[in-house]
Amino acid sequence: MDTMDANCNQKERMWWAFLTSSFVTFVGGLVCILLWRLGAWLFCRVAEKPAEVVAQSPSATKMQDTGVFVKSPDPEIGWMTAVKDWAGVLISAQTVTGRILVVLVFLLSLGALVVYLLNSSDQIEKCIVFSQETLLQVDFGFNIIFLLYFGLRFIAANDKLWFWLELNSLVDFFTVPPVFVSVYLNRSYLGLRFLRALRLIQFSEILQFLNVLKTSNSIKLVTLLSTFFSTWLTAAGFIHLVENSGDPWLDFTNKHPMSYWECLYLMMVTMSTVGYGDIFATTSLGRAFMVVFILGGLAMFASCVPEIIELIGSRKKYGGSYSAISGRKHVVVCGHITYESVSNFLKDFLHKDRDDVNVEIIFLHPLPPNLQLEALLKRHFTQVEFFEGSVLNAGDLARVKIEDADACLIIANKYCNNPDAEDAANIMRVISIKNYCSHVRLIIQMMQYHNKAYLLNIPSWNWKEGDDVICLAELKLGFIAQSCLAPGFSTVMANLFAMRSTVLMEEDSWQKHYLGGVAAEMYTEYLSSAFTGMSFPQVSEVCFAKLRLLLIAIELKDHNTKDKQILINPNSSYHIKEGTLGFFIAQSAKEVRRAYFYCKQCHGDIKQPDKIKKCKCMQALEAQANNKVNVAALEGPTQVVAPTKKKRNGNSNELDSPKRNIRNFHGMTSSPSLPNNDEARDLDCDTKKYDSTGMFHWCPSRDQEKAILSRNEAAMSVLSGHVVVCIFSTADSPLIGLRNLVMPLRASNFSYHELKTIVLLGDLDYIKREWDMLCNFPKVAVLPGSPMCRADLRAVNVNLCDMCVILSPNNQSQEQDPCLQDKEAILCSLNIKSMQFDDSIGLLQANSQGGHSWILPGTPIGGGTGRAGFLPPGFNNAFSPASSPDNNVSRRGSTMGSNVPMITELVNDGNVQFLDQDDDDDPDTELYLTQPFACGTAFTISVLDSLMSATYFNDNALTLIRTLITGGATHELEQILAEGSGMRGGYSTPETLRNRDRCKVAQIPMMDGPFQAFGNGGCYGDLFVSALKSYNLLAFGIYRFRDAECNTKNPSSKRYVITNPPYEFKLCTTDMIFCLQQFDRNPMDMRSNSFSQSQSHLMRGKQKNRPTKKK
């Protein structure tokens, strides 16, 4: 203490020494720079004169005249230039070292400012002992680093004068030298150390160096905030200095003690022009500064603050980043994000029947949600988040953590005016996502089938990783095509892959039976080891009779090659192996667990399936499997189409083995040995009957003119048992993709004579645009005309067709009233229903396929007609002589248009109310609860929304559905069609002929077939077992008259769908049974086993026995 007093006088003011050090450093350096520049200028003037003399010498002139180019020697790089480059690299933010150094200096500047704030509570100037002042020691260390950094910056600067005058240099001049003076004098002086606050102006640059700020708005906002705060802090520091020091000319006697925080308050009140007057400046210097500051501060406050508020207000509400939750997956959904699409998606994805869905859904869209969508998102806030952005922006993809996402789902706009443009936009989204993260799984909705080829051009598109395409046109027209073969099938399938809750009805009505099947969904589950070694029909029988489960397909897995196949209703030659995955139709995932827990020893005597639970045998098997670390066949048992990665990669090897794809996902393929007799006959033929994959019937390309029928030619051809397709699209309408409608009807698992003639009725110019994709299919005719013209409808014998398909035009405007989007289809449907047909028309020769088309092998020919039971009147069944081989002529058809079998495609779900005038559906009723949908006479593209969720939870579900719907389209065929030259014909080989051996959908009547014994109150379970044992038919539903169980004077001619009825369900004589039928290898020799003839007979039989409801 005595030493400090001897060397330092507390009363003596030495402030001038600190300020002098700063000014001397600044002025001295400035003078040196100016003198250096003056010397350099003078030296350059002297050096220029010898150069001019050399340029004018005769030798130089001679070189210029001769045009000889002499390369000047490269200048040597001096040591000063090398040091300058080294310093520039060292402080450059483009290098890691430079970024570290810049950030370090900035942080140390903040540290020096903090030291100043801590010292601001002490006297402005006081005597100290350096070794005892920790804060001064820290500040001294900071300033040594600042001095070194200043030197690096000075060396790297190109313009030394400009560097000397810039703001950061001035801050160093007035903060660094006083610290060294403070150590020398053992005296602390706050002085101008508050100028370190000006370093905050560089805050936005620092964040840009660290790649934190990327958008212009964020950079501008941070720049404004840093400028505002640095000015505020600096002004408060100056007021704190002059008020606590006093005026120098008054010998500092008028000092006004104020804390730094009070000065901050004073500056804010001054800038905002509030001026409370509770705190004010008393010194002359302080007041003079306030006069100047209030002008500049007010201008800054008035300009910066509103702009800051505007930038903060314009910040995206949904512009943050996703924070992943540990142990929880997330999926990213993008594309067409609207209230309707999100509502439909969430309704199925988060359905309660999926048990606990531990997945968070992230929606990414360029526009913020509207109020309606925002309210929907808030209702699901625990599992749903919305972010504003685009998948085409890599920054937005990083915000939603796309690289960690379990999948990315792209939703298409099903109601767009330009489907090709919509597909192109979605493909660009796929490219952007795959470029950012190639391994992420993608599920995309596409409008047009031909656009699927462009996905094959993306190198990172990989079926092995579960990437999949839901082509809406392909599936929509495939559903309609299968309904031509089995009316009502579209409703059955739509209800199976959509998650819907059970709706209980007390009254015994048709709605009760229909809704009982609506709650059934498709599930996957591993089969118990008790089924190992049993044939598929045996397992399916046990599952249905004992477990009350409907097993329709299995997954065949090769553990060596890791290849997987889906076999739909394979024949008895295939036996179940350990760890086989089954596809079930059931009411809930809990029910399907029975197939995994079933033990023949423990559950053999149990009659109530609810009591089938895990037994001791199963527990022992699981323990043994765990000990052997062999759980590959048991990972993730029950799935409602469940979210396990393993299930999603079920078709991982499809693209690697195209030949296997041809045989994949169909009925059991035959042995690759010698072909049977039917195949041998086909092998002898030189003509090409099938396409190169063997999946579809094929014929040489035909000109459209040869397929065109005039109205008279169509009337004279006496069409019957055909399919009429009513098309309203015009020459400039987007393509529908009629190929997807025709392909399932030309599947090779039908014999040629079983193929139904397809008549396209519509605008000829439009059909010409589609014809290139149809010219290789046999039995396709074109009638130019209008579906609204009754003369054209009569010419194609619409009353004798097996199905009339009415397609809505694909050129609807979004601004149009939704109720008018389907006006053509609705008017056409009502027009046909109101038509009457002459009873004398339609005398048809009974071809060789007639007579006993429903007789199965083992059933004696000549069985009864089975006409007992419910038979609605109104159809003719007359017989009259004609010139036919068997002298049998039957009248098939209806005199009333209301009995014509139809399926109408609608764009808007709400328009279904206009199809049937006699139904009592409420206009707000959901589509699946309406009568036309339950009857299979209406179909909308919205039912395919559920496929996004089904595909995510189990990619095998989409494969199974496509197999049943498309008739067997494979990836190899898609690659062929991607060439744009259409389908190619191929010669019949054992390989292609074996590809015909796959299941097909059939519909068998109880009345005429081998199952008439089960009519009139028979048990559906008994029929199921009998069909499976005797004919290898797998029944899965009933198509029943709406008033079959009602005593009504005028019964309705409509049928409705009952999916997977219970075992004890009572049958009616007039019921028709949905079933999966094995391929018939010898249809010509075994005509009695031809069920595709049954399809034609089905609709005719319905017409013979359907009444017209009298109004």
Side-chain angles (χ1 to χ4, degrees):
M1 190 68 181
D2 295 337
T3 305
M4 184 186 73
D5 292 339
N7 296 331
C8 178
N9 186 358
Q10 189 73 30
K11 296 181 179 180
E12 184 181 2
R13 306 300 297 268
M14 300 288 293
W15 59 272
W16 53 268
F18 296 93
L19 295 181
T20 301
S21 64
S22 298
F23 280 107
V24 168
T25 304
F26 172 70
V27 175
L30 185 61
V31 170
C32 293
I33 293 174
L34 292 176
L35 291 175
W36 176 268
R37 282 202 166 192
L38 179 61
W41 180 75
L42 293 175
F43 177 79
C44 291
R45 288 295 298 269
V46 174
E48 284 178 0
K49 292 181 179 180
E52 293 176 358
V53 174
V54 173
Q56 295 176 0
S57 64
S59 60
T61 305
K62 185 176 180 180
M63 285 194 307
Q64 293 176 2
D65 294 340
T66 57
V68 178
F69 174 76
V70 180
K71 182 179 179 182
S72 60
D74 295 332
E76 295 183 1
I77 300 176
W79 66 271
M80 294 184 63
T81 304
V83 171
K84 177 182 176 181
D85 293 341
W86 170 78
V89 171
L90 194 61
I91 66 172
S92 173
Q94 297 178 354
T95 63
V96 177
T97 305
R99 284 195 292 269
I100 293 175
L101 190 58
V102 170
V103 173
L104 177 62
V105 170
F106 178 79
L107 294 176
L108 293 180
S109 298
L110 295 181
L113 181 61
V114 171
V115 172
Y116 165 77
L117 295 176
L118 295 175
N119 288 332
S120 64
S121 59
D122 298 335
Q123 298 178 14
I124 297 296
E125 184 179 349
K126 67 176 182 178
C127 294
I128 60 165
V129 177
F130 179 76
S131 60
Q132 298 178 0
E133 293 291 332
T134 305
L135 290 178
L136 183 60
Q137 294 172 5
V138 172
D139 192 48
F140 182 76
F142 288 168
N143 281 273
I144 290 177
I145 297 176
F146 295 151
L147 182 60
L148 296 175
Y149 187 67
F150 177 86
L152 290 175
R153 289 169 50 230
F154 180 77
I155 294 173
N158 294 321
D159 191 338
K160 309 298 183 183
L161 180 60
W162 179 254
F163 166 79
W164 205 259
L165 298 176
E166 69 178 13
L167 180 62
N168 288 335
S169 299
L170 294 176
V171 170
D172 289 333
F173 293 145
F174 289 98
T175 55
V176 175
V179 174
F180 291 93
V181 174
S182 177
V183 174
Y184 176 76
L185 298 177
N186 282 330
R187 184 181 292 269
S188 173
Y189 180 66
L190 283 180
L192 302 178
R193 286 162 58 187
F194 58 82
L195 291 178
R196 283 292 169 191
L198 293 175
R199 282 281 190 177
L200 288 174
I201 297 177
Q202 290 185 306
F203 186 53
S204 63
E205 297 180 9
I206 301 298
L207 295 181
Q208 291 178 63
F209 295 158
L210 299 177
N211 204 25
V212 175
L213 299 181
K214 300 178 182 179
T215 63
S216 59
N217 282 347
S218 61
I219 294 173
K220 189 174 182 180
L221 177 62
V222 174
T223 302
L224 288 172
L225 288 173
S226 60
T227 303
F228 179 81
F229 279 102
S230 62
T231 305
W232 181 28
L233 294 174
T234 304
F238 186 83
I239 286 294
H240 178 266
L241 174 64
V242 297
E243 287 295 311
N244 285 279
S245 298
D247 294 323
W249 53 85
L250 296 178
D251 198 18
F252 304 105
T253 56
N254 61 336
K255 63 179 180 180
H256 178 204
M258 294 176 62
S259 69
Y260 182 80
W261 311 112
E262 290 176 334
C263 295
L264 282 177
Y265 169 75
L266 175 61
M267 291 298 99
M268 181 58 66
V269 170
T270 303
M271 280 193 297
S272 61
T273 68
V274 176
Y276 290 113
D278 52 344
I279 298 177
F280 51 89
T282 60
T283 63
S284 299
L285 283 177
R287 291 178 177 179
F289 176 78
M290 294 296 290
V291 171
V292 176
F293 178 76
I294 197 170
L295 297 177
L298 178 61
M300 183 187 69
F301 190 88
S303 62
C304 290
V305 173
E307 195 169 359
I308 291 173
I309 294 175
E310 182 181 356
L311 288 173
I312 295 176
S314 64
R315 182 180 177 272
K316 294 180 180 179
K317 181 179 179 182
Y318 300 95
S321 298
Y322 170 68
S323 299
I325 301 175
S326 178
R328 192 174 191 181
K329 302 176 183 177
H330 78 281
V331 296
V332 178
V333 183
C334 57
H336 183 64
I337 305 298
T338 62
Y339 173 78
E340 290 75 14
S341 62
V342 172
S343 177
N344 294 333
F345 176 80
L346 294 179
K347 186 185 301 182
D348 195 83
F349 195 94
L350 301 177
H351 198 275
K352 61 181 182 180
D353 285 356
R354 295 196 189 278
D355 297 331
D356 294 331
V357 180
N358 191 26
V359 180
E360 194 164 6
I361 306 169
I362 309 300
F363 289 99
L364 182 63
H365 191 62
L367 300 176
N370 56 27
L371 295 177
Q372 194 177 18
L373 178 56
E374 193 173 29
L376 176 65
L377 297 175
K378 288 180 179 179
R379 291 197 294 271
H380 299 278
F381 73 96
T382 57
Q383 287 186 281
V384 175
E385 286 191 56
F386 187 96
F387 292 95
E388 189 176 346
S390 172
V391 293
L392 301 178
N393 188 332
D396 293 332
L397 292 176
R399 287 169 49 216
V400 297
K401 304 287 191 300
I402 192 72
E403 66 277 6
D404 299 327
D406 198 40
C408 180
L409 283 59
I410 302 177
I411 301 177
N413 181 8
K414 301 183 292 295
Y415 311 110
C416 60
N417 293 329
N418 192 339
D420 288 322
E422 177 70 13
D423 286 344
N426 286 333
I427 292 173
M428 285 300 301
R429 293 184 175 102
V430 173
I431 294 174
S432 175
I433 295 170
K434 285 294 186 180
N435 283 348
Y436 182 82
C437 183
S438 60
H439 70 269
V440 66
R441 182 189 178 206
L442 276 174
I443 303 173
I444 176 177
Q445 279 185 345
M446 296 193 69
M447 299 297 297
Q448 300 288 7
Y449 181 77
H450 59 266
N451 290 328
K452 292 175 66 175
Y454 297 110
L455 290 174
L456 302 178
N457 299 332
I458 304 175
S460 53
W461 181 266
N462 192 351
W463 302 96
K464 295 181 179 181
E465 298 297 330
D467 295 340
D468 221 329
V469 185
I470 301 173
C471 181
L472 300 178
E474 174 190 25
L475 295 174
K476 174 188 69 176
L477 296 176
F479 272 96
I480 295 175
Q482 293 297 337
S483 293
C484 297
L485 303 172
F489 181 75
S490 61
T491 300
V492 174
M493 290 304 299
N495 288 335
L496 282 181
F497 63 74
M499 302 296 291
R500 295 181 176 126
S501 301
T502 304
V503 180
L504 300 177
M505 296 188 66
E506 296 182 358
E507 58 179 1
D508 193 9
S509 62
W510 71 270
Q511 288 97 334
K512 179 179 180 180
H513 300 314
Y514 167 71
L515 293 175
V518 164
E521 287 102 18
M522 192 177 299
Y523 297 84
T524 57
E525 175 60 271
Y526 285 96
L527 295 175
S528 168
S529 57
F531 298 119
T532 303
M534 299 173 63
S535 66
F536 178 85
Q538 292 174 335
V539 176
S540 184
E541 178 185 349
V542 172
C543 287
F544 189 79
K546 186 78 176 179
L547 309 181
R548 297 299 189 262
L549 302 174
L550 177 56
L551 175 66
I552 62 173
I554 55 174
E555 181 189 74
L556 179 62
K557 181 166 55 177
D558 190 330
H559 293 285
N560 295 325
T561 63
K562 302 295 180 66
D563 287 347
K564 299 178 181 179
Q565 303 179 45
I566 295 180
L567 307 181
I568 302 176
N569 187 25
N571 56 37
S572 57
S573 62
Y574 178 78
H575 296 275
I576 303 298
K577 299 178 181 179
E578 186 75 25
T580 299
L581 183 70
F583 291 77
F584 296 88
I585 295 176
Q587 299 287 330
S588 66
K590 185 178 180 181
E591 292 183 1
V592 183
R593 296 282 291 175
R594 301 169 191 164
Y596 178 68
F597 293 144
Y598 177 73
C599 173
K600 188 175 181 180
Q601 180 178 357
C602 301
H603 304 140
D605 298 331
I606 296 179
K607 296 183 179 180
Q608 296 180 3
D610 294 339
K611 295 184 178 181
I612 297 179
K613 299 180 180 179
K614 183 184 292 188
C615 62
K616 295 181 179 179
C617 301
M618 177 62 66
Q619 295 175 355
L621 287 174
E622 289 183 348
Q624 182 180 1
N626 290 331
N627 292 335
K628 295 181 178 180
V629 199
N630 184 22
V631 295
L634 300 175
E635 55 181 13
T638 300
Q639 301 280 337
V640 164
V641 187
T644 64
K645 202 71 178 176
K646 173 189 164 303
K647 298 279 183 65
R648 299 182 196 149
N649 297 333
N651 53 351
S652 60
N653 294 303
E654 291 179 19
L655 210 60
D656 291 343
S657 53
K659 292 185 178 180
R660 186 185 60 81
N661 290 338
I662 301 175
R663 301 172 56 189
N664 240 0
F665 315 128
H666 304 294
M668 184 64 185
T669 55
S670 60
S671 171
S673 58
L674 294 176
N676 58 23
N677 294 334
D678 183 50
E679 291 178 343
R681 284 196 300 272
D682 286 338
L683 287 171
D684 293 337
C685 298
D686 295 330
T687 59
K688 298 179 180 179
K689 297 181 179 180
Y690 309 104
D691 72 307
S692 57
T693 65
M695 307 300 288
F696 298 95
H697 285 274
W698 182 90
C699 70
S701 179
R702 296 180 297 153
D703 293 336
Q704 187 181 16
E705 288 73 15
K706 295 182 180 180
I708 294 177
L709 297 175
S710 66
R711 188 181 294 174
N712 292 332
E713 290 173 343
M716 294 299 294
S717 63
V718 194
L719 294 166
S720 176
H722 56 297
V723 176
V724 178
V725 182
C726 298
I727 305 170
F728 289 96
S729 298
T730 58
D732 56 349
S733 299
L735 295 179
I736 298 175
L738 294 175
R739 174 173 59 187
N740 301 121
L741 177 65
V742 176
M743 285 176 65
L745 300 176
R746 294 296 175 264
S748 61
N749 54 356
F750 293 101
S751 299
Y752 182 83
H753 69 279
E754 297 175 311
L755 302 181
K756 300 177 185 293
T757 299
I758 301 173
V759 182
L760 306 178
L761 174 58
D763 182 74
L764 183 60
D765 292 333
Y766 172 80
I767 298 176
K768 283 182 180 179
R769 297 170 57 200
E770 295 255 21
W771 186 251
D772 289 341
M773 301 300 174
L774 304 176
C775 60
N776 294 116
F777 293 108
K779 295 187 180 182
V780 178
V782 178
L783 177 64
S786 171
M788 300 295 292
C789 178
R790 291 193 175 189
D792 292 335
L793 293 172
R794 294 183 190 276
V796 297
N797 286 353
V798 70
N799 61 317
L800 301 179
C801 71
D802 275 3
M803 183 60 68
C804 177
V805 178
I806 303 175
L807 301 178
S808 280
N810 206 13
N811 55 352
Q812 304 298 331
S813 173
Q814 291 187 349
E815 289 76 24
Q816 193 178 12
D817 186 348
C819 293
L820 299 179
Q821 290 180 330
D822 301 302
K823 56 183 182 298
E824 294 92 348
I826 294 172
L827 292 176
C828 179
S829 175
L830 297 178
N831 182 41
I832 296 175
K833 291 178 181 179
S834 63
M835 293 176 65
Q836 295 186 0
F837 301 93
D838 189 352
D839 191 33
S840 62
I841 299 177
L843 293 176
L844 307 174
Q845 294 184 355
N847 54 38
S848 59
Q849 304 171 18
H852 303 288
S853 60
W854 293 107
I855 305 300
L856 292 171
T859 302
I861 298 178
T865 58
R867 301 296 192 209
F870 171 72
L871 286 176
F875 288 80
N876 292 327
N877 190 21
F879 293 89
S880 59
S883 56
S884 62
D886 53 2
N887 292 329
N888 262 336
V889 180
S890 63
R891 166 72 176 93
R892 301 179 183 132
S894 172
T895 59
M896 303 299 296
S898 58
N899 296 316
V900 174
M902 279 186 293
I903 181 168
T904 305
E905 179 205 356
L906 298 176
V907 175
N908 186 8
D909 295 1
N911 290 333
V912 72
Q913 60 178 314
F914 302 116
L915 285 180
D916 284 333
Q917 303 300 310
D918 58 343
D919 62 12
D920 53 357
D921 293 329
D922 189 274
D924 296 329
T925 303
E926 289 192 65
L927 175 68
Y928 79 96
L929 296 175
T930 60
Q931 180 175 290
F933 185 79
C935 296
T937 59
F939 186 84
T940 70
I941 198 172
S942 65
V943 303
L944 302 178
D945 290 340
S946 301
L947 275 179
M948 290 291 284
S949 303
T951 305
Y952 167 72
F953 287 116
N954 192 327
D955 51 357
N956 285 334
L958 180 60
T959 305
L960 181 65
I961 292 169
R962 288 188 62 207
T963 300
L964 291 172
I965 296 302
T966 63
T970 63
H971 296 302
E972 183 188 20
L973 178 62
E974 291 175 359
Q975 292 175 340
I976 294 173
L977 296 177
E979 299 295 328
S981 58
M983 299 181 66
R984 298 198 298 260
Y987 292 104
S988 298
T989 64
E991 180 75 20
T992 58
L993 290 178
R994 280 193 295 271
N995 290 335
R996 302 177 61 198
D997 187 5
R998 58 190 193 274
C999 278
K1000 52 189 173 183
V1001 179
Q1003 201 174 57
I1004 302 179
M1006 297 283 297
M1007 185 177 296
D1008 295 357
F1011 305 135
Q1012 36 186 327
F1014 297 99
N1016 260 347
C1019 182
Y1020 174 79
D1022 295 337
L1023 181 145
F1024 179 91
V1025 174
S1026 175
L1028 198 59
K1029 285 184 175 180
S1030 303
Y1031 312 113
N1032 215 12
L1033 293 173
L1034 186 65
F1036 60 89
I1038 299 175
Y1039 201 41
R1040 170 171 291 185
F1041 281 126
R1042 194 187 71 179
D1043 299 329
E1045 299 174 333
C1046 302
N1047 296 322
T1048 308
K1049 293 182 179 180
N1050 296 315
S1052 172
S1053 61
K1054 298 181 177 67
R1055 291 179 182 265
Y1056 68 96
V1057 167
I1058 305 174
T1059 306
N1060 190 26
Y1063 192 96
E1064 301 81 8
F1065 192 82
K1066 299 301 179 182
L1067 298 170
C1068 297
T1069 306
T1070 53
D1071 288 343
M1072 294 187 177
I1073 308 300
F1074 290 103
C1075 62
L1076 295 173
Q1077 173 195 346
Q1078 292 289 332
F1079 173 71
D1080 181 12
R1081 290 185 169 275
N1082 253 327
M1084 298 302 294
D1085 297 337
M1086 298 175 60
R1087 190 188 313 163
S1088 59
N1089 197 25
S1090 174
F1091 284 95
S1092 287
Q1093 297 177 30
S1094 311
Q1095 311 304 319
S1096 177
H1097 186 76
L1098 157 67
M1099 295 309 303
R1100 296 193 194 86
K1102 184 170 76 170
Q1103 290 171 341
K1104 287 190 293 183
N1105 300 296
R1106 293 275 22 91
T1108 300
K1109 186 168 182 179
K1110 298 179 181 179
K1111 298 183 180 179

